[in-house]
Amino acid sequence: MKKLFFFIIISIFLILSLSIAVLSISGYETNRFNNIISKKINENNKYVTVSLKKIKFKFDYKDISLFVETKNPKLNYQNLDIPIEDIKVYINFLSLFKSNIQIDKINITTKNMNINQLKKIIIKSKPSNLNSLIINKVTKGNLVTNIELFLDKNLKIKNFIATGNINNMTVEIKKNLILDKTSFTFFADATDILIKNIKSSSNGILLNNGTLKIEKNEKIVVKSDFSTITNINKDNISNYLTLIKNLKYLNENISFTTNINHNLDYVFDKTLKILNFSYKSKGLIEDLKIVLNKKIKSDFLKNDINTINFQNTNFNLDYN
């Protein structure tokens, strides 16, 4: 009797292990639940329609959960087709035996989208400062993202996590002032945005090793650090003089080469009023030459100042 009981237990364990292994690696393909899952998603999201092809039941050993996966599904948002690579729908296992299937989470991975496709989607969504920035200032770029949507019992989104990367983005800051070949990775949820590995370039400026973190709670905290390598001369200085308010002494006869690390720390209230800020920079001025537009007179100096030169000069700035 004991041997029979032990044999049954071992058999159940082996069958369960084999089933989990098969579901984890290859999954079980079926179209039995296609219409049920599509209908469940569509009926609770009036702006979204989903059409699933053949789906596979699979097991996620990391989350210890059952999900269905489909490749290249049709996802439509307000009459716009969204280029989707993969959708995973995580199902409450016990609900499979009930009349009402409960979906706990949806994982969506997009195909490579260009900026024009993204703009069409943004125009259909809720207006925001970020959306306006993308529509008006970003002229080029490619996006790949993965979005996890956590749902309540009514299939309403209660939280989300978005990750992804952007490559070859071009941003027009002002006329003749463009950030080109911009790339970064990002993470975002309901309260935090983290952007890492920021790289970009403008005419004479190379930005590297950038990070940007935004925390949205009672206050909005923005922190960023990055490094810049600059090589400004008579060929590109005109692009940046428009950023300087007082040009009484400055003209286009300016050149400098620098390597600088920057650190920004801003705190806003919910109306985006600045409550506190800090800007720190530290680096090396390899070479700087400014021929002044107007001589500076001083009672303490015998001669007027008409040229300023720095070479191999370390500096540390703290402004707050």
Side-chain angles (χ1 to χ4, degrees):
M1 188 67 180
K2 289 183 178 179
K3 290 183 178 181
L4 178 60
F5 178 76
F6 182 74
F7 176 78
I8 293 173
I9 295 297
I10 292 297
S11 298
I12 293 173
F13 176 78
L14 290 175
I15 293 171
L16 183 61
S17 299
L18 181 61
S19 300
I20 291 175
V22 171
L23 288 174
S24 299
I25 298 171
S26 60
Y28 172 70
E29 188 173 274
T30 179
N31 55 13
R32 180 180 176 183
F33 297 97
N34 291 29
N35 293 332
I36 297 175
I37 294 174
S38 297
K39 183 179 178 181
K40 194 72 176 175
I41 295 173
N42 297 339
E43 70 184 11
N44 289 275
N45 297 274
K46 61 180 180 179
Y47 298 119
V48 178
T49 58
V50 178
S51 177
L52 304 179
K53 298 182 179 180
K54 284 188 177 181
I55 63 175
K56 281 188 176 183
F57 269 97
K58 302 186 77 173
F59 183 79
D60 190 334
Y61 64 89
K62 293 181 180 179
D63 292 338
I64 314 179
S65 57
L66 187 69
F67 67 92
V68 295
E69 181 180 28
T70 183
K71 300 290 185 180
N72 301 311
K74 292 183 178 180
L75 176 63
N76 186 281
Y77 174 72
Q78 297 195 50
N79 298 319
L80 286 176
D81 290 327
I82 312 300
I84 301 298
E85 178 74 28
D86 177 89
I87 290 183
K88 296 177 183 177
V89 180
Y90 289 76
I91 299 173
N92 185 297
F93 180 75
L94 295 178
S95 71
L96 291 174
F97 304 98
K98 301 178 182 179
S99 59
N100 188 22
I101 293 179
Q102 174 62 41
I103 298 174
D104 294 329
K105 182 176 72 171
I106 299 176
N107 187 301
I108 302 171
T109 302
T110 69
K111 296 180 180 179
N112 187 53
M113 286 193 292
N114 63 46
I115 193 61
N116 292 325
Q117 291 173 299
L118 181 60
K119 284 182 178 181
K120 290 178 181 179
I121 298 170
I122 288 174
I123 290 172
K124 298 279 188 177
S125 63
K126 185 178 179 180
S128 70
N129 292 335
L130 179 59
N131 289 352
S132 298
L133 174 66
I134 295 173
I135 292 170
N136 298 319
K137 297 296 184 180
V138 180
T139 60
K140 182 182 176 182
N142 296 292
L143 164 70
V144 174
T145 184
N146 179 272
I147 303 173
E148 288 184 282
L149 304 175
F150 299 89
L151 310 177
D152 61 18
K153 292 183 179 181
N154 298 315
L155 289 186
K156 301 297 182 182
I157 298 173
K158 62 181 180 180
N159 200 359
F160 75 92
I161 295 176
T163 59
N165 61 79
I166 288 179
N167 291 295
N168 200 29
M169 184 172 72
T170 299
V171 183
E172 186 176 348
I173 305 298
K174 295 181 68 175
K175 186 178 179 181
N176 298 325
L177 183 54
I178 296 173
L179 292 177
D180 199 14
K181 298 180 181 178
T182 303
S183 64
F184 55 83
T185 61
F186 64 87
F187 166 93
D189 60 17
T191 59
D192 296 284
I193 299 174
L194 177 61
I195 300 174
K196 299 177 66 176
N197 304 316
I198 302 172
K199 296 180 180 179
S200 188
S201 63
S202 186
N203 191 358
I205 299 178
L206 179 64
L207 186 152
N208 273 315
N209 305 318
T211 63
L212 173 65
K213 184 176 182 181
I214 302 174
E215 299 173 2
K216 299 180 291 181
N217 294 301
E218 290 299 318
K219 299 176 182 178
I220 301 173
V221 179
V222 178
K223 296 182 179 181
S224 179
D225 58 82
F226 55 95
S227 64
T228 55
I229 298 174
T230 59
N231 184 13
I232 303 298
N233 52 53
K234 63 180 181 179
D235 296 326
N236 53 33
I237 185 61
S238 59
N239 296 331
Y240 304 101
L241 285 178
T242 56
L243 300 176
I244 303 173
K245 292 182 179 180
N246 189 353
L247 293 175
K248 181 178 179 180
Y249 293 98
L250 300 179
N251 54 46
E252 295 189 4
N253 202 344
I254 300 173
S255 63
F256 57 91
T257 304
T258 64
N259 193 334
I260 304 172
N261 294 317
H262 309 264
N263 183 277
L264 297 168
D265 195 343
Y266 278 73
V267 180
F268 303 85
D269 66 11
K270 289 188 175 181
T271 67
L272 296 184
K273 176 184 177 182
I274 296 178
L275 302 177
N276 196 8
F277 74 92
S278 172
Y279 167 65
K280 298 179 181 180
S281 64
K282 183 178 181 180
L284 173 68
I285 300 175
E286 296 179 6
D287 183 70
L288 181 148
K289 182 177 181 180
I290 302 174
V291 178
L292 299 175
N293 190 42
K294 183 178 180 181
K295 294 181 179 180
I296 300 175
K297 298 181 180 293
S298 173
D299 295 333
F300 301 99
L301 299 175
K302 181 178 179 180
N303 298 320
D304 297 337
I305 300 173
N306 56 23
T307 304
I308 298 174
N309 285 288
F310 287 96
Q311 284 188 329
N312 296 323
T313 302
N314 292 301
F315 76 94
N316 195 334
L317 172 67
D318 190 346
Y319 178 65
N320 55 56

